[in-house]
Amino acid sequence: MTTAKDLLSLPSLSHMKLIGGAAGLSRTVTWPYVILCPPIGEWVSGGEFLIYYGANAVVEKVELAQLIRDAAQNDAAGILFLVGHHYILEENLDDEIRQLADELKLPVFSHTSLAYVNSITKDIINLIQDREKDAAIANSFWYSLFFQNTNVDDIATLNQALFLGYLPSYNYCVYIFEMMNASAYFQKLEAMHGPSFTETSSEFFRMLATKLSYITQKETGSTWHVARNSANVFVLPINTNSQEQSADRFFESLTIRMEQQYPGTKFCVGKGNVRSRLFGIRESYIQAKRSLLSWKLLGDNRHLISYSDLGFYQLLFEIPTASVMREYTARFLDPIREYDKTHDAHLYETLCTWLDCRCNKVQTAKALFLHRNTLLMRLEKLEKLLGVSLDDADITFQLQAAVKIDKFLSET
């Protein structure tokens, strides 16, 4: 990872001066970006180190201030103003600009116009690429741990994890950030823009992964990130309840932020339990993945689903074969579905609604827009069909379990 502070050590930037925003020197630099002209919002995805010299045009101080605000809003890593007679005037980079940079915690630098832009960008790119080699090693390790069944008990695996900064004395938690309506979203875009639509889902997810990695690193500090298709997996050290609560709030707010930035998208974060050891981290990943699978089961208004929230569904995930669950549901639900199919009836819908209404007949009739007598006839038909009494609490429990298992199998 390259930070704005690291750039101060580069040969081509040895005379670069920090005007303001020292509190943001830890911002991650993903790439240098030479600005030809503002605005920058459409071209900056987060982490870019912006270089601006005014393109031989007179640039007023108010324009520089607006550029700084735009850079902060779009999560840039910092701004370098090239100053000189034909560039940015140094007198415009005064205390007012410094105070703005400090307020936004965005590093703002100045450098003489005698420096070559090509040399600056080349030095920054080389530094980033050197640091990215280390990041690639970490990415490969976590990718293999989560997706390729790496032997977590192997000494070589543990040594590699230790090399990457894993601490056996720490607890860790896995969060998976995923777009839940990707297929529908891109189909809608294609329908709106027609043949001229060129943005592919892979390009979108690469950009999104870069942005999420940058924001998460900036906000949470020490974290590992690996992206696969539409899923972004984050491993965070969690050692206190306050750390866990803070991480939960951050990821939940991040989903809302991305939905606002990309209207029409729906994001959710699946969270595993806090675990120790490498085996526990993999287990937390599996739990986070299962949490996302339960998104539709628990309601699609949630932005973060913890494995601990799954309740009864946790047990279902632990059943090794689906056939066992299908046998259980078949006993109760197959006769009902067959009757509905043969008689064009609605007994299954009635049963589900009755259970959702906690077996309250008045609420059930209201929810189904039925006369009370019609509901009673349907419930009586269910009893005869299954050979049970719906007044039996144990039967009610078994029916609730059958319906939940049926939904579980259809959604996962």
Side-chain angles (χ1 to χ4, degrees):
M1 179 185 71
T2 304
T3 66
K5 185 178 181 180
D6 296 330
L7 303 184
L8 293 168
S9 63
L10 293 175
S12 61
L13 294 174
S14 58
H15 298 293
M16 183 170 68
K17 294 189 300 184
L18 178 65
I19 296 173
L25 285 172
S26 60
R27 286 175 177 250
T28 301
V29 179
T30 59
W31 205 251
Y33 182 71
V34 179
I35 304 172
L36 297 179
C37 62
I40 61 171
E42 188 176 350
W43 316 110
V44 175
S45 59
E48 290 89 349
F49 184 74
L50 310 176
I51 303 170
Y52 187 50
Y53 58 93
N56 290 324
V58 176
V59 182
E60 302 294 338
K61 186 171 68 174
V62 64
E63 295 176 89
L64 300 180
Q66 186 57 50
L67 181 59
I68 292 171
R69 293 189 187 93
D70 289 345
Q73 184 177 355
N74 288 279
D75 290 314
I79 301 181
L80 169 61
F81 290 122
L82 298 182
V83 300
H85 180 65
H86 295 293
Y87 299 89
I88 306 298
L89 297 179
E90 190 163 13
E91 55 261 35
N92 282 336
L93 303 176
D94 56 12
D95 285 346
E96 188 176 339
I97 293 295
R98 177 187 57 78
Q99 291 172 5
L100 178 61
D102 288 342
E103 178 186 335
L104 298 174
K105 298 180 181 178
L106 179 78
V108 175
F109 303 91
S110 69
H111 199 295
T112 173
S113 60
L114 296 176
Y116 290 105
V117 174
N118 286 347
S119 298
I120 294 173
T121 56
K122 181 179 178 181
D123 281 354
I124 295 175
I125 290 171
N126 286 339
L127 178 62
I128 291 172
Q129 289 177 338
D130 287 342
R131 299 292 176 86
E132 282 183 346
K133 291 177 183 177
D134 296 335
I137 294 173
N139 187 77
S140 176
F141 171 78
W142 292 110
Y143 192 94
S144 63
L145 186 73
F146 294 139
F147 308 126
Q148 297 176 349
N149 296 319
T150 298
N151 184 1
V152 293
D153 296 321
D154 186 72
I155 294 299
T157 302
L158 177 59
N159 286 337
Q160 189 175 7
L162 293 171
F163 173 77
L164 296 173
Y166 162 76
L167 297 174
S169 60
Y170 275 34
N171 295 320
Y172 294 89
C173 185
V174 173
Y175 294 81
I176 303 179
F177 190 104
E178 187 156 4
M179 185 174 174
M180 309 306 291
N181 65 335
S183 179
Y185 176 74
F186 288 105
Q187 286 177 4
K188 184 177 180 180
L189 285 182
E190 189 171 358
M192 288 172 58
H193 299 287
S196 62
F197 180 72
T198 58
E199 182 180 40
T200 65
S201 58
S202 58
E203 291 170 344
F204 175 86
F205 288 127
R206 276 197 298 270
M207 179 192 67
L208 180 65
T210 300
K211 182 173 293 189
L212 293 175
S213 181
Y214 172 77
I215 296 173
T216 305
Q217 184 67 42
K218 185 182 74 170
E219 297 294 334
T220 66
S222 178
T223 182
W224 290 289
H225 168 232
V226 58
R228 188 189 192 195
N229 300 325
S230 64
N232 287 269
V233 184
F234 296 93
V235 183
L236 271 68
I238 300 289
N239 292 298
T240 65
N241 288 335
S242 61
Q243 283 181 330
E244 183 177 4
Q245 292 168 3
S246 177
D248 287 357
R249 288 194 298 270
F250 163 72
F251 279 109
E252 189 165 11
S253 67
L254 187 58
T255 61
I256 298 172
R257 178 176 174 178
M258 291 300 103
E259 287 177 358
Q260 292 172 344
Q261 189 158 356
Y262 304 104
T265 58
K266 180 66 181 178
F267 292 99
C268 185
V269 174
K271 175 194 172 187
N273 291 334
V274 177
R275 288 287 183 262
S276 61
R277 301 183 298 113
L278 284 178
F279 177 83
I281 295 176
R282 175 183 278 172
E283 184 181 59
S284 184
Y285 163 75
I286 294 171
Q287 292 172 343
K289 189 175 180 180
R290 289 173 173 176
S291 298
L292 285 175
L293 288 172
S294 304
W295 179 64
K296 289 185 178 179
L297 295 168
L298 299 176
D300 58 9
N301 289 325
R302 298 194 183 202
H303 283 99
L304 186 142
I305 300 177
S306 299
Y307 187 70
S308 57
D309 294 336
L310 301 189
F312 179 74
Y313 295 119
Q314 287 186 40
L315 301 177
L316 302 185
F317 276 117
E318 299 303 326
I319 298 176
T321 58
S323 60
V324 174
M325 291 185 276
R326 289 195 181 95
E327 288 178 8
Y328 182 87
T329 60
R331 173 191 170 192
F332 294 102
L333 304 185
D334 280 6
I336 298 174
R337 286 194 169 118
E338 183 62 31
Y339 184 90
D340 282 346
K341 183 179 179 181
T342 305
H343 297 80
D344 192 24
H346 303 278
L347 294 185
Y348 182 74
E349 178 189 9
T350 302
L351 174 64
C352 292
T353 306
W354 180 67
L355 293 172
D356 287 341
C357 292
R358 299 182 180 182
C359 308
N360 185 299
K361 295 173 183 176
V362 174
Q363 291 182 9
T364 304
K366 185 177 180 180
L368 291 172
F369 301 101
L370 293 177
H371 190 278
R372 185 175 183 276
N373 291 340
T374 303
L375 174 65
L376 293 177
M377 290 173 59
R378 289 189 183 183
L379 294 177
E380 184 179 349
K381 175 61 71 176
L382 281 168
E383 288 181 322
K384 291 180 179 180
L385 195 62
L386 300 177
V388 298
S389 169
L390 296 181
D391 293 328
D392 188 326
D394 185 58
I395 292 298
T396 302
F397 173 78
Q398 292 183 57
L399 288 169
Q400 286 177 324
V403 170
K404 283 183 177 291
I405 293 172
D406 185 61
K407 290 180 180 179
F408 176 83
L409 291 173
S410 65
E411 295 294 348
T412 61

PDB file of all heavy atoms in Angstrom, residues 65-80:
ATOM      1  N   ALA A  65     -10.065  26.123  -4.725  1.00  0.00           N
ATOM      2  CA  ALA A  65     -10.808  25.682  -3.538  1.00  0.00           C
ATOM      3  C   ALA A  65     -11.885  24.664  -3.916  1.00  0.00           C
ATOM      4  O   ALA A  65     -12.078  23.648  -3.220  1.00  0.00           O
ATOM      5  CB  ALA A  65     -11.429  26.879  -2.831  1.00  0.00           C
ATOM      6  N   GLN A  66     -12.579  24.921  -5.021  1.00  0.00           N
ATOM      7  CA  GLN A  66     -13.617  23.994  -5.453  1.00  0.00           C
ATOM      8  C   GLN A  66     -13.018  22.656  -5.866  1.00  0.00           C
ATOM      9  O   GLN A  66     -13.596  21.590  -5.604  1.00  0.00           O
ATOM     10  CB  GLN A  66     -14.399  24.595  -6.616  1.00  0.00           C
ATOM     11  CG  GLN A  66     -15.600  23.752  -7.054  1.00  0.00           C
ATOM     12  CD  GLN A  66     -16.578  23.504  -5.916  1.00  0.00           C
ATOM     13  OE1 GLN A  66     -16.986  24.440  -5.221  1.00  0.00           O
ATOM     14  NE2 GLN A  66     -16.953  22.241  -5.715  1.00  0.00           N
ATOM     15  N   LEU A  67     -11.858  22.697  -6.503  1.00  0.00           N
ATOM     16  CA  LEU A  67     -11.185  21.462  -6.900  1.00  0.00           C
ATOM     17  C   LEU A  67     -10.804  20.639  -5.676  1.00  0.00           C
ATOM     18  O   LEU A  67     -10.935  19.409  -5.670  1.00  0.00           O
ATOM     19  CB  LEU A  67      -9.942  21.789  -7.721  1.00  0.00           C
ATOM     20  CG  LEU A  67      -9.128  20.592  -8.231  1.00  0.00           C
ATOM     21  CD1 LEU A  67      -9.993  19.684  -9.113  1.00  0.00           C
ATOM     22  CD2 LEU A  67      -7.900  21.065  -8.998  1.00  0.00           C
ATOM     23  N   ILE A  68     -10.351  21.305  -4.628  1.00  0.00           N
ATOM     24  CA  ILE A  68      -9.994  20.610  -3.385  1.00  0.00           C
ATOM     25  C   ILE A  68     -11.235  19.955  -2.780  1.00  0.00           C
ATOM     26  O   ILE A  68     -11.194  18.803  -2.322  1.00  0.00           O
ATOM     27  CB  ILE A  68      -9.344  21.593  -2.391  1.00  0.00           C
ATOM     28  CG1 ILE A  68      -7.982  22.042  -2.921  1.00  0.00           C
ATOM     29  CG2 ILE A  68      -9.191  20.949  -1.013  1.00  0.00           C
ATOM     30  CD1 ILE A  68      -7.340  23.170  -2.122  1.00  0.00           C
ATOM     31  N   ARG A  69     -12.349  20.678  -2.796  1.00  0.00           N
ATOM     32  CA  ARG A  69     -13.593  20.098  -2.257  1.00  0.00           C
ATOM     33  C   ARG A  69     -14.029  18.885  -3.083  1.00  0.00           C
ATOM     34  O   ARG A  69     -14.436  17.863  -2.528  1.00  0.00           O
ATOM     35  CB  ARG A  69     -14.702  21.155  -2.253  1.00  0.00           C
ATOM     36  CG  ARG A  69     -14.463  22.304  -1.294  1.00  0.00           C
ATOM     37  CD  ARG A  69     -15.705  23.196  -1.198  1.00  0.00           C
ATOM     38  NE  ARG A  69     -15.436  24.394  -0.420  1.00  0.00           N
ATOM     39  CZ  ARG A  69     -15.053  25.556  -0.935  1.00  0.00           C
ATOM     40  NH1 ARG A  69     -14.928  25.673  -2.270  1.00  0.00           N
ATOM     41  NH2 ARG A  69     -14.831  26.583  -0.161  1.00  0.00           N
ATOM     42  N   ASP A  70     -13.959  19.001  -4.389  1.00  0.00           N
ATOM     43  CA  ASP A  70     -14.345  17.879  -5.258  1.00  0.00           C
ATOM     44  C   ASP A  70     -13.444  16.675  -5.021  1.00  0.00           C
ATOM     45  O   ASP A  70     -13.907  15.527  -5.009  1.00  0.00           O
ATOM     46  CB  ASP A  70     -14.254  18.298  -6.735  1.00  0.00           C
ATOM     47  CG  ASP A  70     -15.341  19.284  -7.124  1.00  0.00           C
ATOM     48  OD1 ASP A  70     -16.312  19.419  -6.356  1.00  0.00           O
ATOM     49  OD2 ASP A  70     -15.202  19.924  -8.186  1.00  0.00           O
ATOM     50  N   ALA A  71     -12.151  16.935  -4.849  1.00  0.00           N
ATOM     51  CA  ALA A  71     -11.190  15.846  -4.619  1.00  0.00           C
ATOM     52  C   ALA A  71     -11.499  15.117  -3.322  1.00  0.00           C
ATOM     53  O   ALA A  71     -11.477  13.883  -3.256  1.00  0.00           O
ATOM     54  CB  ALA A  71      -9.773  16.401  -4.598  1.00  0.00           C
ATOM     55  N   ALA A  72     -11.808  15.871  -2.273  1.00  0.00           N
ATOM     56  CA  ALA A  72     -12.142  15.253  -0.984  1.00  0.00           C
ATOM     57  C   ALA A  72     -13.439  14.454  -1.079  1.00  0.00           C
ATOM     58  O   ALA A  72     -13.535  13.341  -0.546  1.00  0.00           O
ATOM     59  CB  ALA A  72     -12.258  16.326   0.086  1.00  0.00           C
ATOM     60  N   GLN A  73     -14.418  15.011  -1.772  1.00  0.00           N
ATOM     61  CA  GLN A  73     -15.711  14.336  -1.907  1.00  0.00           C
ATOM     62  C   GLN A  73     -15.583  13.026  -2.675  1.00  0.00           C
ATOM     63  O   GLN A  73     -16.309  12.074  -2.419  1.00  0.00           O
ATOM     64  CB  GLN A  73     -16.701  15.251  -2.610  1.00  0.00           C
ATOM     65  CG  GLN A  73     -18.109  14.673  -2.716  1.00  0.00           C
ATOM     66  CD  GLN A  73     -19.077  15.648  -3.361  1.00  0.00           C
ATOM     67  OE1 GLN A  73     -18.739  16.786  -3.647  1.00  0.00           O
ATOM     68  NE2 GLN A  73     -20.301  15.199  -3.576  1.00  0.00           N
ATOM     69  N   ASN A  74     -14.647  12.971  -3.623  1.00  0.00           N
ATOM     70  CA  ASN A  74     -14.461  11.774  -4.445  1.00  0.00           C
ATOM     71  C   ASN A  74     -13.316  10.886  -3.956  1.00  0.00           C
ATOM     72  O   ASN A  74     -12.828  10.033  -4.701  1.00  0.00           O
ATOM     73  CB  ASN A  74     -14.228  12.182  -5.898  1.00  0.00           C
ATOM     74  CG  ASN A  74     -15.480  12.710  -6.559  1.00  0.00           C
ATOM     75  OD1 ASN A  74     -16.330  11.964  -7.008  1.00  0.00           O
ATOM     76  ND2 ASN A  74     -15.602  14.041  -6.603  1.00  0.00           N
ATOM     77  N   ASP A  75     -12.882  11.113  -2.700  1.00  0.00           N
ATOM     78  CA  ASP A  75     -11.888  10.243  -2.047  1.00  0.00           C
ATOM     79  C   ASP A  75     -10.548  10.208  -2.774  1.00  0.00           C
ATOM     80  O   ASP A  75      -9.896   9.158  -2.848  1.00  0.00           O
ATOM     81  CB  ASP A  75     -12.430   8.813  -1.901  1.00  0.00           C
ATOM     82  CG  ASP A  75     -13.540   8.736  -0.880  1.00  0.00           C
ATOM     83  OD1 ASP A  75     -13.374   9.303   0.206  1.00  0.00           O
ATOM     84  OD2 ASP A  75     -14.580   8.115  -1.181  1.00  0.00           O
ATOM     85  N   ALA A  76     -10.110  11.332  -3.313  1.00  0.00           N
ATOM     86  CA  ALA A  76      -8.770  11.391  -3.889  1.00  0.00           C
ATOM     87  C   ALA A  76      -7.739  11.258  -2.773  1.00  0.00           C
ATOM     88  O   ALA A  76      -8.028  11.515  -1.598  1.00  0.00           O
ATOM     89  CB  ALA A  76      -8.577  12.698  -4.646  1.00  0.00           C
ATOM     90  N   ALA A  77      -6.517  10.860  -3.140  1.00  0.00           N
ATOM     91  CA  ALA A  77      -5.462  10.691  -2.137  1.00  0.00           C
ATOM     92  C   ALA A  77      -4.803  12.011  -1.787  1.00  0.00           C
ATOM     93  O   ALA A  77      -4.219  12.166  -0.710  1.00  0.00           O
ATOM     94  CB  ALA A  77      -4.417   9.710  -2.652  1.00  0.00           C
ATOM     95  N   GLY A  78      -4.867  12.986  -2.700  1.00  0.00           N
ATOM     96  CA  GLY A  78      -4.243  14.281  -2.476  1.00  0.00           C
ATOM     97  C   GLY A  78      -4.157  15.048  -3.783  1.00  0.00           C
ATOM     98  O   GLY A  78      -4.490  14.528  -4.846  1.00  0.00           O
ATOM     99  N   ILE A  79      -3.695  16.307  -3.700  1.00  0.00           N
ATOM    100  CA  ILE A  79      -3.537  17.140  -4.886  1.00  0.00           C
ATOM    101  C   ILE A  79      -2.156  17.780  -4.876  1.00  0.00           C
ATOM    102  O   ILE A  79      -1.696  18.282  -3.832  1.00  0.00           O
ATOM    103  CB  ILE A  79      -4.586  18.264  -4.945  1.00  0.00           C
ATOM    104  CG1 ILE A  79      -6.005  17.714  -4.961  1.00  0.00           C
ATOM    105  CG2 ILE A  79      -4.378  19.127  -6.189  1.00  0.00           C
ATOM    106  CD1 ILE A  79      -7.068  18.788  -5.039  1.00  0.00           C
ATOM    107  N   LEU A  80      -1.516  17.761  -6.021  1.00  0.00           N
ATOM    108  CA  LEU A  80      -0.264  18.477  -6.216  1.00  0.00           C
ATOM    109  C   LEU A  80      -0.509  19.611  -7.211  1.00  0.00           C
ATOM    110  O   LEU A  80      -0.903  19.372  -8.360  1.00  0.00           O
ATOM    111  CB  LEU A  80       0.821  17.540  -6.758  1.00  0.00           C
ATOM    112  CG  LEU A  80       2.111  18.209  -7.244  1.00  0.00           C
ATOM    113  CD1 LEU A  80       2.792  18.967  -6.106  1.00  0.00           C
ATOM    114  CD2 LEU A  80       3.061  17.175  -7.851  1.00  0.00           C
TER     115      LEU A  80
END
